Amino acid sequence: MSVDHEVRIPPPRAHLAGTLALLERFEALAGGNPHAAALRRFLDRPEALPEAVPKQDNTLKYDAYIARGPAQLAWGVAVGDRYEGAAMRAPLAALLAALPGDYRMDAALALGADLDGAAPSLTVAAGFDHPQRPPRMKLYFQEDRWGAGVASAGALREALAVHAPGCALPDWVPAERPVGVLTPELLPDGALGVKAYLGGASPQEAAEGAPPEAQALAAAMAARCPLTPGYYYLTLRMRPGTPHRYAINKIYDHVRLGFTRDAAELPAAWAELAELFAFAGRAAHLAALQGLLGQLQGVRVVPTASALEDGGQSADLYCAAWAMPPRAG
């Protein structure tokens, strides 16, 4: 993340206000969900956020997405523990208590505690894949800076064998390779999946040593999303009894795009996202989403990440939102 004298980013409570407005539109577009009220209660806690923070500490806490699923739209949001730390655990417990299902949060936290890298930051996410069903819940144990890693692949293999039997890294990943992000995925029926993110300064570096299908995703991302700066992850999805699934993710410098030089570089990010979605046959989906975002008066929406998966047939967008102060004059 870049921070310089030109940065003009609203404070954390404006980030929350923009996020709530964005998710209201996402939920309405996807047809609503009876369990979304519990998520809103978890989110809508402005008292947990500082009114202002130093420029270098004012960055991403909420990250939302909307995607076209097989039969309907899917949407969700990730919430980091920034500004809250361990104090976020109690509201998270209240959210889980309000949802039906058997979420294996203890197993997910135990897996995160068994890593051998630097202490990771914690992000919790809820994903609504169906208008009536409870959400998938995810925990993201994230590296503090790109390339630092939260675990070595060798240590993660050992931890998975204990805490998530049936989920295993493929043999092509060297034991010494750092894993940048680890994500236990909790389903309401008690099932547990895991995603591991292998980072790189380019898509090809992130996919180094991977099978041909992952290499093809990396090549497609490199050709259509060259905007710098950025960082990339090859995502490995692991679930018991199923083959590994791959995705390539680009992580954007949201501060530079959205809040430096009056967001002068933001159109370039949207342009390359249009290229990516067109490649995946999803151009109409992105155009409709941009139309929706354009209706959010007084809210700035900034891309935070993109994903290409399913052999290049699916593209996803992640974005963050801030309520903007009125312009002088």
Side-chain angles (χ1 to χ4, degrees), residues 169-173 177 198 203-204 206-219 234-236 243-248:
L169 286 173
D171 292 340
W172 65 262
V173 183
R177 182 160 185 186
L198 305 177
Q204 291 88 345
E208 183 179 1
E213 62 265 33
Q215 299 281 354
L217 292 173
L234 181 72
T235 305
L236 310 172
H244 293 103
R245 289 175 53 199
Y246 295 95
I248 192 77

Side-chain angles (χ1 to χ4, degrees), residues 199-236:
S202 68
Q204 291 88 345
E205 183 178 318
E208 183 179 1
E213 62 265 33
Q215 299 281 354
L217 292 173
M221 177 69 79
R224 287 155 185 86
C225 295
L227 187 67
T228 59
Y231 195 73
Y232 300 87
Y233 289 108
L234 181 72
T235 305
L236 310 172

Side-chain angles (χ1 to χ4, degrees), residues 127-306:
F128 293 93
D129 300 326
H130 187 278
Q132 298 300 319
R133 296 174 189 159
R136 287 179 297 118
M137 299 298 297
K138 293 175 281 187
L139 291 185
Y140 290 82
F141 299 98
Q142 297 178 280
E143 56 190 358
D144 186 56
R145 55 181 175 81
W146 290 338
V150 297
S152 65
L156 179 56
R157 283 192 175 95
E158 295 179 5
L160 289 171
V162 174
H163 303 291
C167 296
L169 286 173
D171 292 340
W172 65 262
V173 183
E176 66 276 9
R177 182 160 185 186
V179 176
V181 184
L182 176 67
T183 305
E185 188 175 35
L186 298 82
L187 302 181
D189 64 0
L192 180 67
V194 180
K195 292 192 292 184
Y197 293 68
L198 305 177
S202 68
Q204 291 88 345
E205 183 178 318
E208 183 179 1
E213 62 265 33
Q215 299 281 354
L217 292 173
M221 177 69 79
R224 287 155 185 86
C225 295
L227 187 67
T228 59
Y231 195 73
Y232 300 87
Y233 289 108
L234 181 72
T235 305
L236 310 172
R237 187 188 298 272
M238 299 168 275
R239 287 193 178 173
T242 63
H244 293 103
R245 289 175 53 199
Y246 295 95
I248 192 77
N249 296 81
K250 179 173 184 176
I251 311 300
Y252 287 100
D253 183 343
H254 64 280
V255 174
R256 176 166 175 158
L257 289 180
F259 301 101
T260 303
R261 297 190 303 279
D262 201 24
E265 296 183 43
L266 191 53
W270 286 111
E272 75 169 25
L273 283 163
E275 291 283 336
L276 186 71
F277 274 69
F279 171 77
R282 302 284 185 170
H285 173 58
L286 182 65
L289 177 57
Q290 288 180 285
L292 171 75
L293 300 181
Q295 300 170 18
L296 287 169
Q297 298 298 316
V299 176
R300 181 170 295 174
V301 179
V302 182
T304 57
S306 63

Side-chain angles (χ1 to χ4, degrees), residues 39-202:
L39 174 64
R40 180 169 288 270
R41 288 193 296 272
F42 171 66
L43 289 169
D44 197 3
R45 298 177 291 111
E47 70 282 355
L49 304 176
E51 293 187 19
V53 294
K55 182 186 298 185
Q56 66 271 17
D57 296 331
N58 190 9
T59 185
L60 195 67
K61 179 174 174 67
Y62 308 101
D63 196 12
Y65 76 91
I66 187 165
R68 171 66 63 183
Q72 62 274 315
L73 289 173
W75 63 281
V77 64
V79 183
D81 63 359
R82 184 178 297 275
Y83 314 124
E84 297 186 78
M88 195 176 77
R89 298 291 180 92
L92 173 58
L95 169 61
L96 293 174
L99 296 173
D102 179 25
Y103 295 100
R104 295 175 57 194
M105 186 62 66
D106 289 346
L109 290 172
L111 177 59
D114 227 1
L115 306 178
D116 66 342
S121 62
L122 177 64
T123 294
V124 60
F128 293 93
D129 300 326
H130 187 278
Q132 298 300 319
R133 296 174 189 159
R136 287 179 297 118
M137 299 298 297
K138 293 175 281 187
L139 291 185
Y140 290 82
F141 299 98
Q142 297 178 280
E143 56 190 358
D144 186 56
R145 55 181 175 81
W146 290 338
V150 297
S152 65
L156 179 56
R157 283 192 175 95
E158 295 179 5
L160 289 171
V162 174
H163 303 291
C167 296
L169 286 173
D171 292 340
W172 65 262
V173 183
E176 66 276 9
R177 182 160 185 186
V179 176
V181 184
L182 176 67
T183 305
E185 188 175 35
L186 298 82
L187 302 181
D189 64 0
L192 180 67
V194 180
K195 292 192 292 184
Y197 293 68
L198 305 177
S202 68

